[in-house]
Amino acid sequence: MLLIEKVLLLRASEIFWQTPEQELVELAGILEEIYLEPGVTLFAKGDPGTCMYFIFKGKIRVHDGGYALAVLEENDFVGELSILDAESRSASATTAEESILLKLEQEPFYDIMMNNAEVLKGILKTLCRRLRIMDAKSVTSQKASETNPLAL
Amino acid sequence: MLLIEKVLLLRASEIFWQTPEQELVELAGILEEIYLEPGVTLFAKGDPGTCMYFIFKGKIRVHDGGYALAVLEENDFVGELSILDAESRSASATTAEESILLKLEQEPFYDIMMNNAEVLKGILKTLCRRLRIMDAKSVTSQKASETNPLAL
């Protein structure tokens, strides 16, 4: 893969869409290319998590035992929370077809993030946006379940 | 208020529970004490958000128009997403009784965070933990609404 392809993949992801090009080039340089057959376990629920993966080609099934949580495709990524908080995996991930992934390890990622306010701010914005979206959903479902608005 | 009281209030909050004492003392030093009567609007939905508040005494009602989202009390905090992403407020906040708050502005907070890996890691962990909890809730409700597990 070309460096520019890696940069474009990072740029297309929600987590790095606000990161300046120069920092993306630096991040792209530390990505490891991985080629996997279908049915390979990327990680299992409960595993320690110290890396994340960007999907260049293929499909990844995210599941909790037999419960499918998501099927991720090109330009998606998986395992992003563990790279940020180093907690164990909250779900399993398995290749659903032949896949090419880019692996980002926690340590070099943290080094870049700690030395670059723009990378950090982009990631904080992304996490906050997700929380805002989830908060808004919970407000919407609260409103929908109420016959009378609650005015405390 | 004593500096030690401010440190303890920060320490009791979800957002700074993992921040080392030395950094808490630094953060405590930039907090502004605010005394408010009941019924005062702290911020309105849609306002630009550049600070957060810790509740030392009193009660804060978080609401979207007439819909009550939460009533926050001593040791709680409010407005934390805006200090991280500088987006507008997603809800309004109003004092429900006489309150003493500590205001933390975005700029000095960012300065401390950017110079201190421990502060940063603690905040990232907190945001990730919240996302994990919300993800788990959505899995639980998905499972509960299914008669047969979905195995993609």
Side-chain angles (χ1 to χ4, degrees):
Chain A
M1 272 179 75
L2 299 173
L3 189 71
I4 187 72
E5 287 177 305
K6 294 181 183 177
V7 170
L8 289 173
L9 186 58
L10 290 174
R11 182 70 164 212
S13 74
E14 183 206 16
I15 203 161
F16 292 123
W17 67 287
Q18 292 209 326
T19 304
E21 194 177 346
Q22 195 181 331
E23 283 72 39
L24 289 181
V25 171
E26 200 176 346
L27 280 166
I30 59 171
L31 294 173
E32 180 192 350
E33 285 176 51
I34 298 178
Y35 297 80
L36 294 172
E37 296 298 311
V40 175
T41 301
L42 216 55
F43 52 80
K45 182 178 175 177
D47 280 355
T50 57
C51 66
M52 68 177 290
Y53 300 88
F54 296 87
I55 306 171
F56 183 63
K57 296 273 182 217
K59 281 193 171 62
I60 304 292
R61 193 165 63 92
V62 180
H63 54 104
D64 184 353
Y67 288 97
L69 302 176
V71 177
L72 304 173
E73 305 189 340
E74 285 176 26
N75 288 342
D76 287 334
F77 54 87
V78 63
E80 74 283 6
L81 290 186
S82 286
I83 202 176
L84 291 169
D85 67 7
E87 293 290 328
S88 59
R89 304 292 188 187
S90 54
S92 303
T94 305
T95 52
E97 57 183 53
E98 207 173 328
S99 301
I100 306 175
L101 309 177
L102 293 171
K103 184 179 180 179
L104 179 57
E105 294 280 0
Q106 187 185 40
E107 211 171 318
F109 167 66
Y110 247 88
D111 286 347
I112 289 174
M113 184 170 68
M114 283 309 297
N115 289 311
N116 195 296
E118 291 309 313
V119 177
L120 170 66
K121 282 182 188 172
I123 288 161
L124 285 174
K125 270 185 181 286
T126 300
L127 295 178
C128 290
R129 191 172 60 161
R130 280 200 197 173
L131 283 168
R132 285 176 189 275
I133 289 169
M134 289 180 126
D135 282 348
K137 274 187 193 162
S138 105
V139 172
T140 307
S141 68
Q142 185 194 329
K143 281 183 180 173
S145 69
E146 282 171 14
T147 48
N148 293 311
L150 181 69
L152 287 180
Chain B
M1 270 179 77
L2 298 174
L3 189 70
I4 188 70
E5 287 178 306
K6 294 181 182 177
V7 169
L8 289 173
L9 186 59
L10 290 174
R11 181 71 163 213
S13 73
E14 184 206 16
I15 204 162
F16 291 123
W17 69 287
Q18 291 208 323
T19 303
E21 194 177 344
Q22 194 181 332
E23 283 71 40
L24 289 181
V25 171
E26 201 175 347
L27 279 166
I30 60 171
L31 294 173
E32 181 193 347
E33 283 176 53
I34 298 178
Y35 297 80
L36 295 172
E37 297 296 312
V40 174
T41 300
L42 217 53
F43 52 79
K45 182 178 176 176
D47 280 355
T50 56
C51 66
M52 67 177 290
Y53 300 88
F54 296 86
I55 306 172
F56 182 64
K57 296 275 181 212
K59 281 193 172 64
I60 304 292
R61 193 165 63 92
V62 180
H63 55 104
D64 184 353
Y67 289 96
L69 302 176
V71 177
L72 304 173
E73 304 188 341
E74 283 176 28
N75 287 342
D76 288 334
F77 54 86
V78 64
E80 72 284 7
L81 289 186
S82 287
I83 202 176
L84 291 169
D85 67 8
E87 294 289 328
S88 58
R89 303 292 187 186
S90 54
S92 303
T94 306
T95 51
E97 57 185 51
E98 204 173 331
S99 299
I100 305 174
L101 308 176
L102 292 171
K103 183 179 181 180
L104 178 57
E105 294 279 0
Q106 187 184 41
E107 210 171 320
F109 167 66
Y110 247 88
D111 286 347
I112 289 174
M113 184 169 68
M114 284 309 297
N115 289 311
N116 195 296
E118 291 309 313
V119 177
L120 171 66
K121 283 182 187 172
I123 287 162
L124 285 174
K125 269 186 182 284
T126 299
L127 295 177
C128 290
R129 191 172 60 162
R130 278 199 198 174
L131 283 168
R132 285 176 189 274
I133 290 169
M134 289 180 125
D135 282 347
K137 274 188 193 161
S138 108
V139 172
T140 306
S141 68
Q142 186 193 330
K143 282 184 179 173
S145 69
E146 283 171 12
T147 48
N148 293 310
L150 181 69
L152 287 180

